[in-house]
Amino acid sequence: MLNKVLTRLGIGGATVDAVLDDDEIEVGGRLRAEIRITGGATRQEIRAASLELVTRCLVEGPGDSKMHSDIVLAAGEVEIGTVEPGEEMSFRIEMQVPASAPVSIGSTRSFLRTRLDVPGAVDPRDSDAVTILPNRSMMAVIEGIQNAGFRLAETEVEYQPRRDPPFVQEFDFRPSGFGDFGIEEVEISFRPLPRGVEVLLTVDNRGGFFLAGREKSVRIRVDHAEAGRIDMAAELRRAIDRLR
């Protein structure tokens, strides 16, 4: 009887662990893992094991307020059933990482959350860091803007469920040389396309004594097939200079 009470309190119950095939996944790729369950001190009925890919986002709250919250990018689950004391079980699971998923650059972090759904008891949980990689077009743009004379200052992920895609990751770059003194920052964000990405590039120009600061933007399409063939730094430099 005591063992059953302790199990309901999360002591001596079944444990769960997720082992990733690879903890680095490119946006739009497949995340594959094995869920491993080890029975506790008593028999337990476990409805399911769930796996969630989670990232920290800035979410709109009441009014104009915003707050940081953990948002699920992708999820999957497997049904379990009865787990005997000390029994070891494993299940394969696979899920699609959205093409719009925020990449693990700057302060943006994602992790894998594993949970057992145990009726009437504390649900065992486990979490593991996951690195979401940019695709070739995104990487070409990020490297190109750095080679054009800008350094990454900050990243931020915004989540709006009514928007398509709901996740927008903003990359803020600051000039690294005096030649771009009139530029406060250059911001880029990506929108996935079937064979590439659309880049929203915004230049925030400094104001002065007689001139207000202003933002100008342009949209640029980058195809995966062309990403490694063009001089991305030169292309971005020309776009930035036109927006000054």
Side-chain angles (χ1 to χ4, degrees):
M1 180 64 179
L2 177 60
N3 281 343
K4 292 183 178 180
V5 172
L6 292 175
T7 299
R8 285 197 295 272
L9 294 173
I11 302 171
T15 59
V16 63
D17 185 28
V19 180
L20 285 162
D21 289 9
D22 193 337
D23 61 3
E24 294 185 346
I25 303 102
E26 185 176 302
V27 291
R30 303 289 294 181
L31 186 151
R32 299 176 177 88
E34 182 177 82
I35 296 178
R36 298 175 181 175
I37 299 168
T38 302
T42 63
R43 173 188 288 187
Q44 282 184 284
E45 291 295 327
I46 299 176
R47 291 194 185 101
S50 63
L51 201 63
E52 297 175 330
L53 180 60
V54 180
T55 196
R56 192 96 174 140
C57 296
L58 195 62
V59 181
E60 290 186 349
D64 295 329
S65 66
K66 292 185 178 180
M67 64 191 74
H68 283 94
S69 182
D70 291 339
I71 299 298
V72 177
L73 303 175
E77 71 172 30
V78 291
E79 295 182 356
I80 305 299
T82 302
V83 179
E84 300 292 341
E87 182 180 4
E88 295 183 353
M89 310 172 72
S90 64
F91 302 88
R92 296 291 302 174
I93 191 167
E94 182 176 324
M95 54 193 185
Q96 184 81 34
V97 178
S100 61
V103 299
S104 303
I105 292 178
S107 59
T108 303
R109 297 288 181 269
S110 296
F111 62 95
L112 196 65
R113 186 166 60 196
T114 316
R115 183 175 66 87
L116 294 181
D117 184 357
V118 184
V122 175
D123 294 344
R125 298 188 178 206
D126 178 55
S127 63
D128 301 276
V130 176
T131 300
I132 301 178
L133 303 173
N135 58 38
R136 70 180 74 174
S137 296
M138 297 168 70
M139 197 68 238
V141 172
I142 292 169
E143 290 179 347
I145 197 167
Q146 291 175 328
N147 292 334
F150 296 84
R151 57 178 177 82
L152 181 65
E154 185 180 3
T155 63
E156 185 70 83
V157 181
E158 292 190 358
Y159 173 75
Q160 294 181 13
R162 294 179 298 277
R163 182 172 54 195
D164 182 28
F167 309 101
V168 173
Q169 184 175 22
E170 297 176 350
F171 301 79
D172 294 333
F173 291 85
R174 302 280 169 78
S176 55
F178 292 108
D180 291 308
F181 177 76
I183 297 176
E184 181 73 27
E185 68 178 19
V186 175
E187 178 186 291
I188 63 171
S189 60
F190 298 98
R191 180 182 178 87
L193 298 174
R195 290 179 293 277
V197 294
E198 181 185 73
V199 183
L200 175 61
L201 186 148
T202 301
V203 175
D204 184 0
N205 295 288
R206 295 177 186 270
F209 288 109
F210 304 106
L211 183 66
R214 64 197 187 282
E215 290 186 353
K216 293 183 179 180
S217 300
V218 66
R219 295 183 184 273
I220 304 169
R221 179 183 178 123
V222 181
D223 292 333
H224 295 324
E226 299 295 325
R229 302 176 187 173
I230 61 178
D231 187 342
M232 191 65 69
E235 293 291 332
L236 292 171
R237 168 49 67 183
R238 282 192 285 269
I240 291 169
D241 288 343
R242 287 196 299 268
L243 298 174
R244 299 179 68 163

